[in-house]
Amino acid sequence: LTFITSNGFAQEKTKKQLKAERELQKQKETEALINSKNFVFDAERANPMGYRTIILDFNTYTMKVSEEKVTCDLPYFGRGYNVAYGSSDGGMKFEGKPENITIENKKKGYNIKMTVKGERDVYVLLFSVFYDGGANVSINSNNRGVISYDGKIRAPKTEENKK
């Protein structure tokens, strides 16, 4: 009876094995998103240079990235150097085709760098994407100070692809 009972327990996976399988699955999903160059970055925190971290509203601020177009709708906190007179839009809002895309595989994730020419500015985006889906994006522009955002990447929903 003891032999049968211990054999039954040996078939079950340990918590460590289950956690490792979940992590591997998440890593494969993240890798597929990066390779497709089609993902959505959901910002959770803004990190302006020289200021404290600002927690953002949940599921409100996003950046949609594809090979054809980058659409950014993120808040901006920091210093503006050359802003159009009478401009009331204080956010980091732009659209443009990404250029010079480089993807580097690192020990714990990926570094993705791209340049996007907006209507009035040029933006350099540097993503650090971790295997668990967590991400950080740093945005450098000619007219504003550098700002970075912490959040997560995910696959775009079908209605987001149509926009």
Side-chain angles (χ1 to χ4, degrees):
L1 184 63
T2 310
F3 176 72
I4 295 170
T5 310
S6 64
N7 192 15
F9 286 119
Q11 299 299 322
E12 293 181 25
K13 294 182 180 178
T14 64
K15 287 183 181 181
K16 275 188 176 180
Q17 289 172 325
L18 291 171
K19 183 180 178 186
E21 285 180 6
R22 281 193 304 271
E23 287 175 355
L24 185 62
Q25 180 64 28
K26 187 65 179 170
Q27 180 178 343
K28 287 180 181 179
E29 290 171 11
T30 302
E31 189 174 328
L33 285 175
I34 300 300
N35 290 335
S36 72
K37 296 178 187 155
N38 186 20
F39 58 88
V40 176
F41 171 77
D42 291 320
E44 297 172 352
R45 289 180 300 280
N47 306 302
M49 287 293 176
Y51 298 95
R52 62 181 175 79
T53 298
I54 299 166
I55 297 175
L56 303 175
D57 293 338
F58 183 71
N59 282 344
T60 306
Y61 301 106
T62 61
M63 182 186 306
K64 298 173 185 99
V65 178
S66 71
E67 285 186 282
E68 295 82 37
K69 183 167 80 169
V70 173
T71 305
C72 182
D73 183 13
L74 298 171
Y76 181 76
F77 307 95
R79 180 177 233 167
Y81 302 115
N82 186 13
V83 181
Y85 179 75
S87 175
S88 62
D89 180 27
M92 192 61 85
K93 296 176 176 44
F94 59 87
E95 275 188 13
K97 181 171 175 50
E99 299 172 354
N100 306 324
I101 301 172
T102 59
I103 300 174
E104 229 180 310
N105 193 347
K106 293 290 187 180
K107 190 174 185 178
K108 296 187 179 196
Y110 298 91
N111 284 345
I112 305 164
K113 186 175 181 179
M114 62 182 74
T115 305
V116 179
K117 290 181 183 173
E119 196 174 304
R120 294 186 209 126
D121 205 348
V122 177
Y123 304 91
V124 177
L125 310 177
L126 179 60
F127 289 89
S128 295
V129 181
F130 305 99
Y131 289 139
D132 66 354
N136 174 284
V137 63
S138 177
I139 302 176
N140 192 355
S141 75
N142 295 331
N143 297 332
R144 295 180 178 184
V146 178
I147 187 168
S148 67
Y149 302 89
D150 297 325
K152 294 184 181 347
I153 67 165
R154 62 174 168 84
K157 297 174 183 156
T158 51
E159 65 268 9
E160 290 175 333
N161 279 335
K162 294 176 186 174
K163 292 182 182 179

